[in-house]
Amino acid sequence: MTQTDALLRLQEVDLELLRTKRAYAALPQKDKILKIKQAAHSLSTELTKLVGARKDVQIELEDNRATHQHMLDLVEEVSAKMHTTSDYRAIADLESQLTHLAKRIERLDFEKQMLDKDLAKLQESVAKARTLGRTLQSEAQAQAAAYKTASEQNNATIAQLNQEREQLVAQLDPELLNTYEHALKRFEGLAVERLIGNNPSICRVSLQPSSYADIRAQNTDITTCPYCHRILVVVDPSYTAQNK
């Protein structure tokens, strides 16, 4: 492989390295994993609130049941007293107590119905949140696996390209390599262009006859573009044939 061939192939390898690294940086799995983590964090916060609210309702229901049972015990106690007295005023007072207790029990029954509905809604919300959490976890695992596979493929490609790059670099003169490395940074990977006829392949500014004659007179396949100052490789068949 000539230096010209090595130089052209080196730019192809460097461009492929650049594309590979950019593609790796733009892998969709990275954004998806981040969004899943954010969604999972929000869901965890919401689930904590739901579980807390459910616990509060359960405590209220326990208090309701205890109070309800206490009211029933009082009803039984008051009813028993009514059977042990014949005093009119005492009976009237006991009946008043029973009426009050009945209203308390009715109110407790109504509150229990509301609490039962609230608990059912919260239990449903907690169940849905946990199902969504499992779905997010499964999706996160799938995205992580896909990202790992893509990363391994990317790293393998980069390793292969770097190996070839080392072989190509070894074939270039140090001065030419130094010129190429500077041009590579300056022109963001497009360091080398071909001259086909009198048209550079990148800047595409047609060479004037005098410029073209100067390039031919240099008696080399590798020169510098007079317009964009990239490395210019002459691939004109009639020209390269004369210099081989």
Side-chain angles (χ1 to χ4, degrees):
M1 179 181 287
T2 65
Q3 277 209 115
T4 301
D5 293 334
L7 181 64
L8 290 171
R9 178 56 189 162
L10 179 59
Q11 173 161 267
E12 291 177 355
V13 169
D14 281 336
L15 287 173
E16 186 60 29
L17 276 169
L18 183 61
R19 285 191 291 267
T20 301
K21 291 176 181 179
R22 285 177 176 173
Y24 176 70
L27 283 175
Q29 291 89 350
K30 294 177 68 176
D31 288 338
K32 290 180 179 179
I33 291 173
L34 177 59
K35 290 179 180 179
I36 290 172
K37 286 183 177 180
Q38 292 172 341
H41 177 73
S42 298
L43 180 64
S44 177
T45 300
E46 181 64 22
L47 182 58
T48 299
K49 293 179 181 178
L50 289 171
V51 170
R54 184 184 65 179
K55 183 63 176 177
D56 290 341
V57 172
Q58 288 173 332
I59 291 174
E60 289 186 58
L61 275 169
E62 290 174 2
D63 291 342
N64 179 280
R65 292 190 190 99
T67 303
H68 190 275
Q69 183 59 51
H70 180 60
M71 294 298 104
L72 292 178
D73 292 342
L74 289 176
V75 167
E76 185 176 350
E77 182 181 335
V78 171
S79 298
K81 288 181 179 180
M82 290 185 66
H83 290 87
T84 60
T85 182
S86 58
D87 183 83
Y88 172 77
R89 290 183 179 180
I91 292 174
D93 181 61
L94 292 172
E95 288 179 345
S96 177
Q97 291 182 41
L98 288 174
T99 300
H100 175 72
L101 290 172
K103 290 181 179 179
R104 288 289 308 277
I105 291 172
E106 183 180 359
R107 180 63 185 174
L108 287 169
D109 288 340
F110 175 78
E111 290 176 354
K112 182 179 182 301
Q113 290 178 5
M114 296 298 101
L115 289 171
D116 284 339
K117 289 181 180 180
D118 290 342
L119 181 60
K121 290 180 181 179
L122 286 168
Q123 287 176 331
E124 182 180 2
S125 296
V126 168
K128 287 182 178 179
R130 286 177 173 166
T131 298
L132 179 57
R134 289 191 291 269
T135 300
L136 288 174
Q137 183 179 16
S138 177
E139 180 63 18
Q141 291 173 346
Q143 293 298 330
Y147 183 69
K148 180 181 178 182
T149 299
S151 297
E152 291 173 349
Q153 293 174 346
N154 175 83
N155 292 336
T157 299
I158 289 178
Q160 183 178 0
L161 290 170
N162 280 330
Q163 183 178 7
E164 183 179 0
R165 190 180 197 280
E166 290 178 4
Q167 297 171 352
L168 294 167
V169 165
Q171 299 181 53
L172 299 180
D173 291 336
E175 183 178 351
L176 177 58
L177 177 60
N178 184 60
T179 300
Y180 171 78
E181 295 289 2
H182 280 85
L184 186 68
K185 295 179 180 178
R186 179 183 177 186
F187 297 107
E188 299 181 349
L190 296 175
V192 183
E193 61 180 349
R194 298 166 179 257
L195 179 65
I196 303 176
N198 68 334
N199 293 303
S201 59
I202 296 179
C203 70
R204 298 185 182 279
V205 179
S206 298
L207 299 181
Q208 297 296 323
S210 59
S211 298
Y212 185 68
D214 289 341
I215 290 175
R216 290 176 64 93
Q218 292 177 17
N219 195 36
T220 178
D221 289 353
I222 302 174
T223 183
T224 301
C225 177
Y227 299 113
C228 69
H229 304 295
R230 288 180 172 86
I231 297 174
L232 185 63
V233 173
V234 180
V235 293
D236 177 48
S238 63
Y239 175 65
T240 54
Q242 296 174 10
N243 291 278
K244 288 187 178 180

